[in-house]
Amino acid sequence: MKEKVLSEHFSIDNFFKLDVYLKHNGYQAVKKALTELNPEKILKEAKAANLRGRGGAGFPAGVKWGFVPQNGDKPKYMCVNADEGEPGTIKDRYIMTHNPHLLLEGIIISSYCVGINTAYIYIRGEYENIALRLETAIDEAFQKGFLGKDILGSGFDLDITIHRGAGAYICGEETALLESLEGKRGNPRLKPPFPASIGLFQCPTVINNVETLANIPSIILKGAEWFCALGLPNDGGTRIFGVSGMVKNPGIYELPVGTNLKDLIFKYAGGMKEGKKLKAVIPGGMSSPILKADEIDITMDSDTLMKADSMIGSGAVIVLDEDTSILDVLTIITKFYSHESCGQCTPCRIGNSWIKKIVTRISRGEGKDGDIDNIARLASNMVGKTLCPLGDAAAMPILSIVKKFRDELETSIK
Amino acid sequence: MKVIIDGKTIEAEENKTILELARENGIYIPSLCDHPGLAPFSGCRLCLVQIKGKKGYSPSCSIYIEDGMEVKTSTQQLRKLRKNILELILTEHPNACLMCAEKKECDEYKATIRKVGEVTGCVLCPNNGDCELQEIVEEIGVDIVDFPSYYRDLEVKRDDPFFDRNYNLCILCGRCVRICHEVRGCSTLSFVKRGPETVVSTSMDQRLIDSNCQFCGACMDVCPTGALIEKGRKYESLADDKTEMLCPLCSVGCRLEVNLGEGRLLNTRPAADGPANHGQACVKGRFLIKDLVYIEKRIEKPLIRREKKLEEVGWDEALDWVAGKLKKYKGKETAVIRSAQVSCEDGYVLRKFADEVLKTGNISSEPAFSSYRELAQKLGFMPALNYKIEEISSAETIFLLSSNISVSHPIVWLEIVKAVKNGARLIAAGPMELQFDRFVSLQLRIEPGTENILLGSLQKILTGGESFKAAKESKVAENALREAAEILKSSKSPAFIFGSESIQGPVGMEVLTALWNIALLSKGRLYHLGLESNSRGIFELDRSFNKKSRQTGLIIQDIIDNKVKALYLAGSRIELPKKARPEFLIIQDSYVSKNTEIADAVLPAAVSAEAEGVFVNMEGRVQKSGKVLEPPGKTKPDWWITSQAAKRMGAEAFDYKKPSSIIKEIRNKLPGFANVTYPALEKSKEIFIKEETPQKGKLFTQKIISLPEGNNKRYPFRLVLFYNLDFYRNLSLSEAVRGFRIFRNSQWIHICLEDADKLKLKNGDSIEVLSPHGKTKVIVRITKTVSPGIVAASPEYPIFNNTASSNVLKVMIKRGK
């Protein structure tokens, strides 16, 4: 069995409780970081670990922290992105459910590293029970002195607040998340300025994904070298892949970065259900471009998937079998993005809505010549032409489907 | 720095977006969501450009220029892309007319078809021909849209005054949402819902009037389509001429752009280059100017009373008759009460008439300026009044002593909002809470009438005084006062902004002295919010005459005591009490009112849109208001009427042919007006009253006066007076314009929910207010801005106006029948 960083203790009963967590080396990383290491040392370690963001964009976490200006007179904030909204993605919910204190440790260490005294966990509204569990965990940590004033006598203060989203996909986009956290409508902001310099309440802000932060304690305890060795040299550690769709054993699999996608599906997830043939894979959440069955002999890491014109995204692998209609897939995708567009940019608001209308019409059997070209035209008017990545997220899978499955789509029209 | 746009090297200054630089240099980049004065939005995506070294496309409205940047604005890819995007916008907006081959012919033959409920094409749209979307379609050239049009089929919202909202035409550029939030600080509008259902709306989709909308009209002025439709010009013709005038309705002096069509005034909009208002106006300047001109109450012919009836006569007859009658009175038996909404020319001639023809010292003046005159006497020089409104936005601290500023002087309020958004601290002192209290950083809520106590205590703290007894009476916590003092001490040149109500009345002089002291101690500036459009001008003019002017209240008392027998009432909102009907009453005014009904002679005066004239705003800025329309009927400008009357009474020096000759006389007489000539005013917007060279200021000892308690049992409520300034000459705006009355009524008395509950009153109830000075009927308005035991009303309403010697009255409230 491969070494696990995040899910090792998932099967232990009541691991979410602080006393159980403490029995398994809990809060040792915080202790080490706050009493033995200084922020510079932690930042160096995080950079050396090549921990890339697990939320979708894959930006190295250490580098991100380094962007926060030091010595400013404004307070700094940490926002934990727990708005796990990308269809197919289930990893953060497992971490927060089974290992909430690991996340808290990650937050404490990274806040200490950047010099932050207030952290927010922005969690999607549907995760009601998880939010309650996190709140309990925070309370426990407060009582034991892992949070609050002068943590473990280090002189470092930290407060963590849970903020629940209200059900908008766009609020997983970091700047829309900030707007929502400030109590405004969740529309994305223009970048620059980037949140690292002007973020929450106009102050420097670090925004990290749950899984990213949950990796920090192990890096502190076992070192960057160990972490890097787990995965690839420039993309360290493990990832929790959430496999869904037509496989025998759907679920989460924590595996090293760089695991082969074919192995993930056929070795770990037990292969195809009912002996069906594989048709295609969406490798990193719904917004990642689709891979055909013959394209899946590929390692799961940011760079390789980017070379294959897709992306690792949130590591949510959606497996489609031969019986799945690609038109249905397209319909689901466009319905989702059309609904979730914030409405600010013309190409995304109206483009998605028209793609949806055309696709729905095709599925009613009323497709026309030129429909597919129009879908492609509308989608390419979106890529790189909208304010936030939602336009890209919507357009890229659509374009890849049109490109790779055009024949099948054409048959739906005729 | 150097920026290359489309191969052209442009020398540019920092802090500009690509779009701004391109516009300045005549390079066309289409955009529908960008607007000067608003933060970049980058929603419409029409302004995408290509930047060398950057992947893909960048929105030129939000990318700031950098040295050496190379930008392409019009490649073939870009043109194609823009066409595609515009096509998408047009699927959300009725587009048949935009692409119709018979567009031109259609405009000519369907002149009246706009009177329909549902706008399904440009020819049916009230904004046809005045639409940015049309212009952009023309420019980019869309002739076919590949996707069928999508009509949102939303109900047109017509249940608010002044304008309708048809969001079927909205293209979601967000300008209205942004201007409401960013510039007006109101945040009434917002995007709601998401995706293709996104729409602009209010909280819970309520009416604007229930959503704290101030009806400033800024949203309409920035809307690029016909989604927001002004009710007042819906069925008017298109504008065929544009000109400018000054708004006559407060002392800010907003420049308004006037749209004229076939000789009619269609509407007014704030002029983008107005030096005081910078493209903004308020509900009055935006929507009510037209009513001032065309309202039915206008008087168009001279009237004289013969055998108890008012009869229409010609000018000669009327003037001779008036002159003959007036000659019979001795100087001190006559009085002139004059509005400060008339021009300097009008005001000067009226003053000269009183001085040289009637030979009376009974000429009215604004009480707040009497305090200023008194202060000047104490100091030995006139304290500076010329401070620019726009400089408020760069103040670090603002000390506000006027709870109603967002209503009385909205444009000044905008500068405060701007300052707060820039990080300034706003200290708000007064007996009422601000309507927009979210901008306040320190609230000093005081007992009514204790302004001088508050300020006196503040002065003590600033000078390091140890005792702190006085503030108890004003009920401000000591630590709040100390905090205010700390803020004032730590900031550079704080702005003190105060309304006229606080520096008039029995303790007005003390309040002004205290303000002067505190401003001196903190090196601050004193902004006095003058009441009327030419308050400052009339004050400056009056300083040139030897005789002192008198407060209106005293003149009226003299009429009651029969000391004054003939009254010349010019453009004044004063409503004469029954017992103050003088023996001979002349009214020179524009509208029918209770006064005109009892007058002996009514001389019809032109309104400000119909006469040119010079006005001085609260900054001391001298501006000329143009003649926009011909006066109706026999109406004449005030200066003409008064000088004719003077001539017929045998005076010689009243032979004015045109207003500029009056200005010449003023200029020669008054050093303050040395720079003021008509040609100079037309050339420059920056002409100010010349002030005396400031001398070293001195501190005065502060007298702290407590107001007498009065009879609390009989009159349990304290009535606070504040100015709405909702009048023009003798016209009450809320009485005259129904839409305005729904929004704001001068008859409202503000009362808190607790008191209303106790008295079983609800909004809109008609009640009676009784004070030792008399009683009046008012309408209940429940608000959170007053505390229990306190009610508040605007003194435009006659009883408060005539009897109030103080800003606080003891009153009782009785339910109406």
Side-chain angles (χ1 to χ4, degrees):
Chain A
M1 202 61 197
K2 292 265 181 358
E3 199 165 355
K4 286 177 180 172
V5 180
L6 308 161
S7 60
E8 191 187 345
H9 304 294
F10 276 13
S11 54
I12 296 171
D13 276 349
N14 290 330
F15 193 71
F16 60 88
K17 289 188 175 161
L18 184 60
D19 49 346
V20 183
Y21 184 72
L22 286 173
K23 277 181 203 151
H24 294 83
N25 251 347
Y27 284 96
Q28 289 305 313
V30 164
K31 208 169 183 179
K32 185 178 173 189
L34 267 59
T35 55
E36 292 169 30
L37 304 176
N38 59 23
E40 294 77 39
K41 192 86 202 299
I42 298 171
L43 185 63
K44 219 173 137 193
E45 205 66 17
K47 278 185 180 165
N50 280 326
L51 168 64
R52 311 216 6 192
R54 303 297 199 234
F59 196 81
V63 180
K64 207 177 202 178
W65 299 352
F67 287 151
V68 177
Q70 294 299 323
N71 315 322
D73 54 353
K74 283 181 175 176
K76 295 183 277 255
Y77 293 103
M78 155 78 66
C79 293
V80 182
N81 190 342
D83 192 51
E84 190 168 44
E86 182 70 29
T89 313
I90 48 174
K91 62 192 180 67
D92 295 341
R93 112 159 75 143
Y94 277 96
I95 296 172
M96 292 186 287
T97 310
H98 297 292
N99 211 346
H101 286 288
L102 185 69
L103 171 63
L104 297 188
E105 275 203 80
I107 297 172
I108 297 167
I109 296 165
S110 43
S111 298
Y112 174 66
C113 171
V114 189
I116 290 167
N117 303 110
T118 311
Y120 292 91
I121 301 176
Y122 187 98
I123 188 166
R124 66 178 290 174
E126 292 89 337
Y127 285 178
E128 172 77 17
N129 289 333
I130 304 174
L132 293 174
R133 181 164 284 187
L134 277 174
E135 265 162 18
T136 314
I138 290 170
D139 286 347
E140 286 177 328
F142 256 101
Q143 276 157 19
K144 288 276 184 207
F146 297 122
L147 284 174
K149 297 263 175 228
D150 192 18
I151 299 170
L152 302 176
S154 64
F156 170 65
D157 308 333
L158 180 68
D159 195 357
I160 303 181
T161 307
I162 306 275
H163 184 100
R164 292 173 211 195
Y169 172 74
I170 186 65
C171 291
E173 193 279 329
E174 57 177 13
T175 57
L177 182 149
L178 295 178
E179 288 283 295
S180 172
L181 200 49
E182 288 180 4
K184 302 174 190 155
R185 176 181 164 89
N187 270 25
R189 294 179 184 172
L190 291 166
K191 287 195 261 187
F194 290 91
S197 48
I198 297 177
L200 187 63
F201 308 123
Q202 305 286 302
C203 296
T205 304
V206 171
I207 304 161
N208 281 130
N209 174 259
V210 169
E211 189 186 348
T212 316
L213 289 169
N215 275 306
I216 301 295
S218 311
I219 294 173
I220 295 301
L221 284 179
K222 298 183 183 168
E225 214 170 300
W226 164 83
F227 187 80
C228 256
L230 281 180
L232 300 173
N234 64 347
D235 197 346
T238 61
R239 288 191 78 129
I240 298 184
F241 295 105
V243 185
S244 60
M246 312 311 276
V247 286
K248 279 200 186 115
N249 303 316
I252 56 157
Y253 296 91
E254 184 179 353
L255 293 163
V257 173
T259 301
N260 191 291
L261 177 58
K262 206 168 181 177
D263 287 348
L264 179 59
I265 296 168
F266 288 98
K267 198 166 137 198
Y268 297 101
M272 300 302 291
K273 225 175 184 173
E274 296 162 13
K276 300 272 180 179
K277 257 172 74 185
L278 176 72
K279 181 173 191 170
V281 179
I282 298 173
M286 204 164 82
S287 60
S288 57
I290 201 163
L291 297 173
K292 286 176 94 166
D294 56 8
E295 293 171 321
I296 65 158
D297 191 1
I298 192 172
T299 59
M300 290 292 276
D301 62 88
S302 303
D303 298 341
T304 311
L305 277 168
M306 205 180 292
K307 266 181 224 147
D309 287 331
S310 185
M311 61 179 201
I312 192 162
S314 57
V317 178
I318 304 168
V319 182
L320 314 173
D321 71 4
E322 55 186 323
D323 289 351
T324 313
S325 147
I326 209 72
L327 186 64
D328 287 351
V329 176
L330 193 58
T331 313
I332 291 169
I333 293 176
T334 71
K335 272 191 178 162
F336 180 79
Y337 287 112
S338 165
H339 179 64
E340 294 296 349
S341 162
C342 79
Q344 180 161 345
C345 298
T346 311
C348 174
R349 176 184 77 242
I350 311 179
N352 273 316
S353 148
W354 275 110
I355 297 175
K356 183 186 112 179
K357 279 178 199 156
I358 296 170
V359 172
T360 335
R361 184 160 46 71
I362 297 174
S363 20
R364 280 203 312 264
E366 293 165 20
K368 288 188 293 200
D369 280 349
D371 274 353
I372 298 187
D373 286 333
N374 270 338
I375 293 173
R377 175 157 75 100
L378 288 164
S380 46
N381 278 343
M382 252 186 271
V383 183
K385 285 140 200 140
T386 56
L387 196 148
C388 83
L390 195 142
D392 295 350
M396 288 187 322
I398 295 170
L399 284 172
S400 72
I401 286 174
V402 168
K403 191 172 151 203
K404 293 178 183 174
F405 294 92
R406 189 165 183 126
D407 294 347
E408 190 185 328
L409 291 172
E410 296 281 3
T411 52
S412 315
I413 290 176
K414 270 150 201 164
Chain B
M1 64 169 72
K2 281 198 172 86
V3 179
I4 304 170
I5 302 184
D6 294 338
K8 189 176 152 195
T9 308
I10 297 168
E11 194 65 45
E13 279 163 43
E14 279 172 54
N15 252 333
K16 260 183 202 149
T17 62
I18 299 172
L19 182 62
E20 282 171 323
L21 185 67
R23 275 184 186 152
E24 283 169 19
N25 289 278
I27 298 163
Y28 179 77
I29 303 175
S31 166
L32 281 169
C33 68
D34 186 77
H35 199 272
L38 294 180
F41 183 65
S42 299
C44 75
R45 312 309 279 187
L46 282 172
C47 74
L48 291 176
V49 293
Q50 287 168 307
I51 300 171
K52 196 176 174 185
K54 262 196 164 179
K55 253 197 336 197
Y57 306 91
S58 309
S60 60
C61 67
S62 63
I63 306 277
Y64 285 83
I65 53 170
E66 285 164 25
D67 194 26
M69 197 180 236
E70 276 183 51
V71 184
K72 284 190 175 147
T73 70
S74 183
T75 61
Q76 205 181 345
Q77 289 143 296
L78 280 170
R79 283 202 298 271
K80 197 176 151 201
L81 181 62
R82 283 187 193 136
K83 215 167 176 171
N84 276 329
I85 293 172
L86 186 58
E87 208 182 309
L88 288 180
I89 293 174
L90 292 179
T91 64
E92 277 191 342
H93 185 97
N95 61 37
C97 295
L98 287 167
M99 272 153 290
C100 181
E102 287 158 39
K103 204 158 35 175
K104 288 221 169 70
E105 293 80 355
C106 189
D107 280 347
E108 273 173 37
Y109 296 114
K110 293 187 178 167
T112 59
I113 206 160
R114 273 176 282 152
K115 295 175 187 174
V116 293
E118 206 88 339
V119 175
T120 51
C122 298
V123 291
L124 308 174
C125 176
N127 267 34
N128 190 10
D130 188 13
C131 169
E132 280 179 52
L133 190 59
Q134 281 180 327
E135 285 167 28
I136 281 186
V137 170
E138 200 72 30
E139 196 71 38
I140 294 183
V142 179
D143 32 30
I144 187 158
V145 171
D146 268 349
F147 310 102
S149 187
Y150 166 68
Y151 190 71
R152 294 195 186 100
D153 204 14
L154 300 166
E155 197 182 331
V156 182
K157 297 179 189 297
R158 302 178 201 275
D159 42 10
D160 278 303
F162 307 120
F163 59 97
D164 295 340
R165 293 176 291 149
N166 183 356
Y167 290 121
N168 294 309
L169 307 184
C170 174
I171 57 162
L172 296 163
C173 67
R175 285 183 189 173
C176 54
V177 174
R178 288 179 289 145
I179 202 151
C180 190
H181 175 73
E182 290 173 21
V183 177
R184 307 297 306 204
C186 207
S187 309
T188 295
L189 297 172
S190 172
F191 288 113
V192 297
K193 300 191 184 168
R194 60 180 122 160
E197 286 162 22
T198 312
V199 67
V200 175
S201 185
T202 58
S203 164
M204 304 297 154
D205 202 21
Q206 298 177 98
R207 298 185 306 166
L208 290 172
I209 206 162
D210 299 324
S211 311
N212 198 30
C213 175
Q214 302 298 299
F215 294 97
C216 66
C219 50
M220 293 183 52
D221 294 337
V222 294
C223 180
T225 69
L228 304 173
I229 313 137
E230 190 171 344
K231 287 180 201 262
R233 77 169 284 194
K234 226 195 284 190
Y235 306 132
E236 298 265 20
S237 62
L238 281 177
D240 51 30
D241 194 11
K242 263 193 182 118
T243 166
E244 273 196 4
M245 66 178 278
L246 276 183
C247 178
L249 297 174
C250 84
S251 59
V252 170
C254 293
R255 286 211 83 84
L256 301 175
E257 187 184 290
V258 184
N259 284 312
L260 297 162
E262 294 161 14
R264 256 179 79 78
L265 191 157
L266 302 177
N267 71 345
T268 47
R269 284 174 161 214
D273 56 355
N277 57 316
H278 302 288
Q280 298 300 317
C282 73
V283 56
K284 293 187 280 184
R286 182 67 179 79
F287 295 111
L288 298 184
I289 302 294
K290 189 176 177 179
D291 290 296
L292 302 185
V293 176
Y294 296 120
I295 192 164
E296 285 167 29
K297 286 187 170 183
R298 279 298 293 272
I299 308 166
E300 299 192 356
K301 283 171 192 149
L303 306 167
I304 57 173
R305 190 169 295 277
R306 274 197 197 129
E307 287 154 26
K308 296 194 176 169
K309 265 191 177 169
L310 281 173
E311 254 177 48
E312 285 182 6
V313 288
W315 272 115
D316 281 333
E317 197 180 347
L319 288 164
D320 286 339
W321 188 77
V322 165
K325 291 257 183 185
L326 268 181
K327 267 192 226 162
K328 290 181 196 153
Y329 294 95
K330 287 188 203 129
K332 60 182 179 183
E333 286 175 342
T334 60
V336 177
I337 296 180
R338 151 198 66 166
S339 149
Q341 284 173 326
V342 298
S343 67
C344 287
E345 294 87 329
D346 302 332
Y348 175 82
V349 174
L350 275 160
R351 176 74 207 229
K352 196 174 161 189
F353 177 67
D355 250 48
E356 295 177 9
V357 185
L358 296 177
K359 298 192 168 50
T360 178
N362 291 325
I363 178 141
S364 66
S365 70
E366 235 175 86
F369 276 109
S370 307
S371 297
Y372 254 103
R373 196 188 282 257
E374 221 175 296
L375 178 64
Q377 261 166 12
K378 269 166 64 173
L379 277 170
F381 65 93
M382 185 63 203
L385 285 162
N386 287 8
Y387 293 113
K388 285 189 185 177
I389 296 170
E390 62 182 10
E391 282 165 4
I392 295 172
S393 62
S394 51
E396 284 176 20
T397 297
I398 293 157
F399 189 98
L400 181 63
L401 195 66
S402 167
S403 329
N404 200 39
I405 186 169
S406 62
V407 170
S408 64
H409 296 76
I411 300 300
V412 182
W413 171 246
L414 296 190
E415 294 297 321
I416 299 178
V417 168
K418 209 170 172 187
V420 172
K421 289 192 170 182
N422 287 340
R425 280 167 297 186
L426 174 60
I427 306 173
M432 286 170 71
E433 195 176 281
L434 254 59
Q435 188 185 4
F436 292 91
D437 61 336
R438 60 176 178 267
F439 292 101
V440 176
S441 36
L442 181 65
Q443 178 93 45
L444 303 173
R445 206 57 186 273
I446 55 171
E447 288 292 293
T450 62
E451 283 87 352
N452 86 94
I453 299 174
L454 172 93
L455 294 168
S457 310
L458 193 57
Q459 184 192 335
K460 262 191 184 165
I461 296 175
L462 282 171
T463 47
E466 69 302 324
S467 74
F468 192 83
K469 284 179 206 145
K472 267 188 191 156
E473 270 185 76
S474 65
K475 293 218 173 120
V476 173
E478 176 166 357
N479 54 359
L481 256 186
R482 290 203 180 275
E483 196 188 333
E486 281 312 309
I487 294 175
L488 288 176
K489 266 191 225 165
S490 67
S491 51
K492 259 184 267 156
S493 189
F496 293 85
I497 303 175
F498 51 96
S500 288
E501 55 273 59
S502 48
I503 60 163
Q504 63 195 39
V507 293
M509 185 54 211
E510 293 311 315
V511 173
L512 183 62
T513 313
L515 280 165
W516 161 262
N517 283 342
I518 294 171
L520 195 67
L521 288 167
S522 58
K523 299 192 178 64
R525 298 163 276 167
L526 291 180
Y527 283 90
H528 167 226
L529 300 169
L531 294 180
E532 300 178 359
S533 56
N534 202 22
S535 286
R536 176 73 191 281
I538 299 290
F539 171 65
E540 294 292 338
L541 289 172
D542 278 358
R543 291 174 66 204
S544 70
F545 290 88
N546 292 329
K547 284 198 196 100
K548 260 193 184 175
S549 47
R550 296 181 75 204
Q551 292 191 19
T552 312
L554 299 176
I555 297 177
I556 290 182
Q557 192 55 49
D558 280 357
I559 299 173
I560 296 169
D561 299 344
N562 209 23
K563 286 184 198 154
V564 167
K565 290 176 180 158
L567 177 63
Y568 197 102
L569 194 56
S572 174
R573 69 202 155 97
I574 304 287
E575 193 169 301
L576 291 173
K578 261 188 198 143
K579 50 189 173 180
R581 163 74 164 92
E583 199 177 285
F584 186 56
L585 176 61
I586 306 150
I587 302 212
Q588 173 179 311
D589 222 324
S590 311
Y591 310 97
V592 176
S593 70
K594 281 196 177 133
N595 291 342
T596 58
E597 280 166 24
I598 58 166
D600 295 299
V602 181
L603 310 174
V607 298
S608 74
E610 296 156 358
E612 42 177 14
V614 169
F615 292 80
V616 187
N617 77 349
M618 60 173 274
E619 306 169 296
R621 190 189 297 275
V622 188
Q623 301 188 87
K624 186 177 159 266
S625 184
K627 179 175 167 182
V628 172
L629 296 163
E630 281 305 318
K634 291 182 179 164
T635 51
K636 290 281 183 190
D638 289 271
W639 63 266
W640 183 91
I641 304 172
T642 317
S643 51
Q644 286 295 322
K647 279 207 281 193
R648 283 160 213 252
M649 285 176 76
E652 279 166 11
F654 282 84
D655 210 4
Y656 305 112
K657 291 275 175 318
K658 49 187 193 290
S660 56
S661 43
I662 305 171
I663 282 295
K664 194 176 164 194
E665 188 175 319
I666 296 174
R667 187 169 63 240
N668 292 336
K669 205 162 165 185
L670 268 173
F673 284 78
N675 299 333
V676 181
T677 66
Y678 271 28
L681 290 173
E682 263 148 34
K683 240 184 264 163
S684 166
K685 295 186 180 98
E686 300 292 318
I687 291 181
F688 291 86
I689 289 285
K690 260 177 124 181
E691 294 197 288
E692 296 160 28
T693 5
Q695 296 166 37
K696 206 164 169 267
K698 54 182 169 190
L699 274 181
F700 296 102
T701 33
Q702 187 58 35
K703 265 188 285 172
I704 288 175
I705 304 170
S706 310
L707 290 171
E709 271 296 295
N711 187 342
N712 282 334
K713 267 196 187 143
R714 183 156 159 69
Y715 300 108
F717 284 97
R718 279 166 302 165
L719 173 74
V720 178
L721 297 179
F722 62 81
Y723 285 105
N724 278 348
L725 306 181
D726 293 339
F727 56 86
Y728 178 65
R729 302 186 67 118
N730 62 345
L731 186 74
S732 158
L733 299 179
S734 63
E735 261 173 50
V737 184
R738 188 179 157 268
F740 188 67
R741 183 161 67 240
I742 303 170
F743 170 56
R744 190 160 80 215
N745 194 334
S746 294
Q747 287 195 35
W748 279 347
I749 187 153
H750 297 262
I751 186 167
C752 70
L753 188 61
E754 289 98 313
D755 286 337
D757 275 350
K758 259 187 234 160
L759 295 165
K760 296 197 170 60
L761 299 174
K762 56 181 195 311
N763 262 338
D765 280 357
S766 179
I767 57 171
E768 258 184 359
V769 172
L770 292 88
S771 83
H773 309 280
K775 62 178 179 179
T776 188
K777 269 198 184 136
V778 289
I779 294 166
V780 172
R781 178 75 173 174
I782 298 169
T783 156
K784 69 179 176 72
T785 56
V786 294
S787 328
I790 297 171
V791 290
S794 173
E796 282 107 65
Y797 204 60
I799 180 160
F800 308 135
N801 188 22
N802 291 347
T803 54
S805 52
S806 148
N807 295 324
V808 187
L809 286 177
K810 301 267 178 188
V811 295
M812 72 181 284
I813 288 173
K814 261 170 78 180
R815 291 180 60 84
K817 276 152 210 156

